[in-house]
Amino acid sequence: MRMRDEMLARLRAGDVPDILIVGGGINGVGVFRDLAAQGVPALLVEAGDFSSGTSAAPSRLIHGGLRYLETGEAALVRESLTERNLLLRNACHVVHPLACWVPLRSWLAGTLGAGARLLRLTRTPGRKGAVAVKLGLMLYDAFGRTHQTMPDHRLLTAGQARRELGGLAPDIRAVAEYYDARISHPERLVMELVADAEEDCEPALALNHVSAGRQTQGRVTLTDQLTGETFTVTPKILINAAGAWVDEVQAGLGFNERLIGGTRGSHLVLRHAQLAEDLGNRMLYFETDDHRACLIYRLSGDRVLLGTTDIRSDDPGDKLCTEAEIDYLFAVLRPILPGVRLSRSDIVFAFAGVRPLPRMKAGATGAISRDHRIDEFAPTADRPFVTLALVGGKWTTYRAFAEKVSGRVLARLGLGRRQSTAGIAIGGARGLPFDAAGRAAWARNLAQETGLQPARCATLVDRYGSRARAVAEAEAADPARFDALPDYSPAEIGLICATERVARLDDILLRRTLMGFEGHASRAILREVGTVAARSLGWDAARLAAEIERTATLLRERHRMSIA
């Protein structure tokens, strides 16, 4: 991946493509990647860091969206399941199968209502019993046949379920088990898509911490958020992939129509050894009394993820998990696992983000469509470029959405599609065995080649897939370790700084690694990691001190981390 300074120099010289993508979340980067695969370069700008907005705040699931059957969105579920199966293969280093349990309190409740919702006679969520869920899962299995990689569903009696998870509430009558997938590090997948695009198409360039401002007579102003330097570009096609910020970007382009009506979703990462052990390798996906869907599953070790809320929000920067949301998440889990006692002291990390959903003035938040759409705006005399605004979308279907968007662009350019990205491995999945046993053998071979301990190589493969080789070689050349953070190394962080367009300390803590998400943060950790970043990026003592203070404040105030 090229250095940021090199790419800014191209921007100054006006050596940029005619296609401008605004937004470096998964949808914008997905379009950037698909176009590059067709040999069509684009300039992508992101006001913050790549994947620092809504794309950093999902439930970390790659899933078909079982509950979307409730709102009659069968086509979205079918597409999602196909894309889920593709990601299990194309991103096998970060996307993994996950057994999902749906606890059910009755057999027949909601059967007629579920049918009405499936037929789109109503969109309001309602209570569901085992029969309704069974029928939905039969359809779910059928939709997931394309590129199928996981078993079909099964229905467990209460007795069978309690033999595996004894803490289930006594009024649970049955449990439906099906399989979806989880993504261990979504922000890393975004970075890998950027790198893959630039490798395939040399003129393509993606810049983080560069915002798009107003346009005047076809000239769009870009601003480097780190230095204040401004640039102007004259795109022929502008793709607004700013997610929850779509309306803000549209306003800068001269549009007045509101497209987004977001909802905030908050999640908690908990340190709870007993709960993690009880959950094992399964997720509980449960209905609340207000007919929402919440979830809890084990991440790794003693860490557990609990989510999510769904609160209307018109502020795209609304990223704070409130006290009321914490109370809500604790409360909705209690009827499912009544023996579990949670407290705020169990929280090691909290995160929230606004979903860029289509604007809908009334109705239940759960009934708002999670599907994607493209709003196209023709050129005008004072805005002489085509504008494509991307509305909605979800992590799982980013590739299919990107293919549709790039299809519009190719049609405008009079070009045909060279290839589909459906069969292209992403980043660290390239050259990595698909099965777990094969990946373990790959890690053992890496240990033999580099002299590192097998356990360390296994950790690196879990993090980086086949790209673990570069990290292992760097560590073999420089075996120094951190004092406060033994699970990471100075060589590892130095390589990230040198090759992954790091600009701020929190880029490392929150997106290039899982340090923050795993609850690893202290003044000592910030100092050690920051010192490596300063050496690699040329920060002086004042800049380093400012980065440490800024990151400590961010982790403390936005993510509820205990940093003195």
Side-chain angles (χ1 to χ4, degrees):
M1 182 178 279
R2 298 186 292 275
M3 297 296 288
R4 188 172 185 273
D5 288 347
E6 175 190 343
M7 308 191 81
L8 286 171
R10 286 179 55 185
L11 200 53
R12 280 187 208 101
D15 180 20
V16 296
D18 293 331
I19 299 168
L20 174 62
I21 301 173
V22 180
I26 185 57
N27 284 332
V29 169
V31 175
F32 182 71
R33 173 67 184 107
D34 194 281
L35 287 171
Q38 316 316 317
V40 177
L43 164 63
L44 181 146
V45 296
E46 163 58 45
D49 188 22
F50 300 115
S51 193
S52 60
T54 302
S55 294
S59 297
R60 296 187 174 237
L61 297 179
I62 299 297
H63 64 124
L66 178 62
R67 69 189 178 96
Y68 305 150
L69 290 176
E70 258 201 291
T71 52
E73 297 183 276
L76 174 60
V77 174
R78 183 190 295 274
E79 180 180 67
S80 299
L81 287 167
T82 299
E83 295 301 315
R84 178 203 67 184
N85 292 345
L86 289 172
L87 276 168
L88 279 162
R89 292 191 176 277
N90 295 337
C92 61
H93 58 314
V94 291
V95 179
H96 311 287
L98 179 66
C100 306
W101 277 24
V102 182
L104 302 162
R105 289 192 167 85
S106 74
W107 287 94
L108 296 175
T111 303
L112 293 177
R117 285 186 288 274
L118 182 60
L119 295 172
R120 296 196 174 209
L121 300 177
T122 178
R123 290 181 63 89
T124 304
R127 191 181 178 197
K128 295 165 286 297
V131 171
V133 172
K134 171 76 174 177
L135 292 172
L137 285 172
M138 290 171 66
L139 194 59
Y140 204 72
D141 290 342
F143 285 171
R145 293 280 185 260
T146 305
H147 311 294
Q148 183 174 3
T149 56
M150 296 182 293
D152 286 347
H153 81 280
R154 62 178 180 141
L155 204 60
L156 286 73
T157 65
Q160 289 174 316
R162 287 194 181 86
R163 281 194 287 274
E164 296 187 42
L165 183 58
L168 284 173
D171 62 341
I172 300 299
R173 303 285 298 276
V175 168
E177 179 190 76
Y178 68 100
Y179 278 81
D180 262 327
R182 60 176 289 253
I183 179 168
S184 57
H185 197 165
E187 302 89 348
R188 173 146 297 281
L189 195 66
V190 169
M191 285 303 304
E192 291 183 341
L193 287 165
V194 170
D196 288 352
E198 292 178 347
E199 182 180 330
D200 276 5
C201 186
E202 194 278 333
L205 66 157
L207 278 161
N208 53 345
H209 302 289
V210 173
S211 62
R214 304 191 68 81
Q215 78 86 30
T216 304
Q217 296 298 315
R219 299 178 67 82
V220 179
T221 300
L222 307 179
T223 303
D224 186 341
Q225 294 296 300
L226 302 179
T227 66
E229 183 178 5
T230 61
F231 315 85
T232 57
V233 294
T234 54
K236 292 182 178 177
I237 299 174
L238 187 147
I239 300 167
N240 182 356
W245 289 264
V246 158
D247 286 337
E248 289 190 8
V249 174
Q250 290 290 98
L253 300 177
F255 297 99
N256 298 317
E257 181 185 359
R258 294 281 301 277
L259 304 176
I260 301 296
T263 68
R264 185 181 71 249
S266 292
H267 298 77
L268 305 174
V269 178
L270 309 167
R271 181 187 288 113
H272 200 297
Q274 187 59 56
L275 179 55
E277 182 180 344
D278 291 345
L279 288 170
N281 294 319
R282 67 177 69 86
M283 177 180 80
L284 292 182
Y285 185 57
F286 55 94
E287 187 178 56
T288 65
D289 290 340
D290 55 350
H291 305 303
R292 291 214 58 260
C294 287
L295 56 90
I296 185 167
Y297 64 89
R298 182 183 192 173
L299 295 166
S300 62
D302 60 0
R303 303 297 200 275
V304 170
L305 181 68
L306 173 63
T308 173
T309 56
D310 200 16
I311 300 169
R312 287 184 182 273
S313 177
D314 288 326
D315 177 7
D318 187 4
K319 296 182 178 182
L320 293 179
C321 176
T322 66
E323 296 293 332
E325 286 176 291
I326 294 172
D327 290 338
Y328 173 84
L329 290 172
F330 284 178
V332 296
L333 182 63
R334 202 167 297 124
I336 304 298
L337 297 173
V340 173
R341 293 290 176 264
L342 299 177
S343 71
R344 280 164 169 74
S345 63
D346 297 322
I347 300 172
V348 298
F349 190 76
F351 61 100
V354 175
R355 306 174 182 93
L357 304 180
R359 187 167 181 78
M360 190 175 92
K361 294 182 179 180
T365 55
I368 303 173
S369 174
R370 265 55 175 177
D371 207 348
H372 44 246
R373 76 168 196 252
I374 308 164
D375 288 2
E376 183 168 335
F377 302 88
T380 61
D382 60 346
R383 189 179 53 249
F385 50 78
V386 175
T387 302
L388 302 178
L390 311 191
V391 178
K394 53 199 288 283
W395 244 100
T396 306
T397 56
Y398 86 85
R399 192 208 64 82
F401 191 15
E403 196 167 75
K404 294 170 187 174
V405 177
S406 65
R408 293 273 191 105
V409 173
L410 293 172
R412 282 276 176 178
L413 299 176
L415 300 174
R417 174 169 290 277
R418 287 186 184 178
Q419 61 179 322
S420 170
T421 54
I424 300 177
I426 301 167
R430 293 181 180 178
L432 192 71
F434 170 69
D435 60 296
R439 290 196 294 273
W442 197 95
R444 289 193 297 271
N445 290 337
L446 182 62
Q448 292 176 350
E449 293 169 11
T450 60
L452 268 60
Q453 291 296 316
R456 178 60 181 168
C457 286
T459 295
L460 294 178
V461 171
D462 283 344
R463 285 181 189 160
Y464 306 107
S466 60
R467 294 185 175 182
R469 182 177 301 282
V471 183
E473 290 172 351
E475 288 192 1
D478 177 12
R481 310 299 295 182
F482 288 126
D483 293 328
L485 191 66
D487 202 33
Y488 291 84
S489 73
E492 179 181 6
I493 301 306
L495 185 64
I496 285 172
C497 290
T499 62
E500 295 188 2
R501 229 155 280 167
V502 169
R504 312 296 301 249
L505 182 56
D506 62 282
D507 292 349
I508 302 171
L509 271 288
L510 291 174
R511 289 171 290 279
R512 304 303 184 277
T513 74
L514 292 171
M515 290 179 193
F517 188 74
E518 294 168 338
H520 300 308
S522 66
R523 286 280 176 177
I525 289 173
L526 295 183
R527 168 64 61 178
E528 286 192 325
V529 174
T531 298
V532 173
R535 186 166 59 243
S536 178
L537 300 173
W539 297 344
D540 59 17
R543 172 69 187 275
L544 173 58
E547 288 292 332
I548 290 173
E549 191 56 43
R550 177 182 180 278
T551 303
T553 300
L554 179 66
L555 295 177
R556 183 173 58 247
E557 295 182 355
R558 182 178 294 173
H559 298 292
R560 303 185 66 93
M561 301 188 77
S562 298
I563 301 178

